[in-house]
Amino acid sequence: DKVEEQRPPVEYTFPTRFLPSPKGLAPARNVGLRNANGSLVCFLDDDVELETDFVERVHSFFDSPAMADVGGLTGYDTVNYPYPISTRWKLRSMLGITPSLIPGDCSYLGRSVPFSFFEPFSGYRDVKWLPGFCQIFRASAIQGMLYDEHVIVEDREFSMRVGDHHRLVIWGDL
C-alpha cells in the first residue's frame, strides 16, 4: 500500500483591528472596505463555519489562470441548501415574475432566484449575484465601491454591480 504524504495545513494569521461602525450591515461593511488592504476581501456572516483549508483554497481559486476574470465568489451552503423549488416559485416563473428558476439568476431589476435551489455539485457555476452569507471579492474588482446604505438587499445589489464588469461564481466544493 502506498502511504500518502500528508501536507500540514498552512497556518494563516491575520492582523486584527476592531473598527467602530454605525449600526447596520452596509455601514459596517463599508468601514471594512475603507480599511481593507489585501488582494481579496471576504465578508462572512457570523454563523458561517469554514473548513480549515478555506483560505488556501480561495487563494488557489483566484490565482488560477482560468479564473482571472472572476470578481466575486461564494461557497455552497451545506446547511441551507438544497431546498426544493416550491409551487409559489413555479407560479412566479409561469407568470414571468422571476427571470427563471435557475439558482443565482437575476433580472436587471434585481429580481433574483434563491441559491437554496442549488442541488449539491462539484466545480463552479456562473451566477448573477452573490448571497450575503459568504461574499469573497477580488480587491481589484471592487476598488472604490461601497455598499449602498439605502437599499434593503445591499448584498445582492453590491454583487450585481461587481457582476456588471466581472464574473461571479458559486463554487460547489467550497
Side-chain angles (χ1 to χ4, degrees), residues 9-101:
V10 176
E11 294 286 328
Y12 290 97
T13 59
F14 301 98
T16 304
R17 280 191 306 157
F18 291 96
L19 304 168
S21 74
K23 279 187 172 185
L25 183 65
R29 288 188 176 184
N30 286 337
V31 168
L33 284 171
R34 288 183 184 105
N35 287 275
N37 59 13
S39 62
L40 298 175
V41 178
C42 182
F43 293 106
L44 300 169
D45 281 357
D46 60 353
D47 60 348
V48 172
E49 293 182 29
L50 305 174
E51 298 292 330
T52 56
D53 62 348
F54 175 83
V55 173
E56 184 177 33
R57 293 176 69 211
V58 167
H59 272 281
S60 294
F61 185 90
F62 277 103
D63 285 345
S64 168
M67 299 301 137
D69 62 341
V70 172
L73 167 70
T74 191
Y76 186 86
D77 183 349
T78 58
V79 174
N80 297 300
Y81 304 169
Y83 194 80
I85 298 173
S86 67
T87 304
R88 178 186 207 177
W89 274 95
K90 290 175 185 173
L91 180 61
R92 287 177 178 173
S93 179
M94 287 181 355
L95 295 173
I97 297 170
T98 187
S100 72
L101 290 178

Side-chain angles (χ1 to χ4, degrees), residues 76 80-84 103 113-119:
Y76 186 86
N80 297 300
Y81 304 169
Y83 194 80
V113 181
F115 273 65
S116 59
F117 294 164
F118 270 116
E119 293 290 331

Side-chain angles (χ1 to χ4, degrees), residues 4 45 52 154 166 171:
E4 231 178 87
D45 281 357
T52 56
E154 66 282 327
H166 304 277
W171 189 8

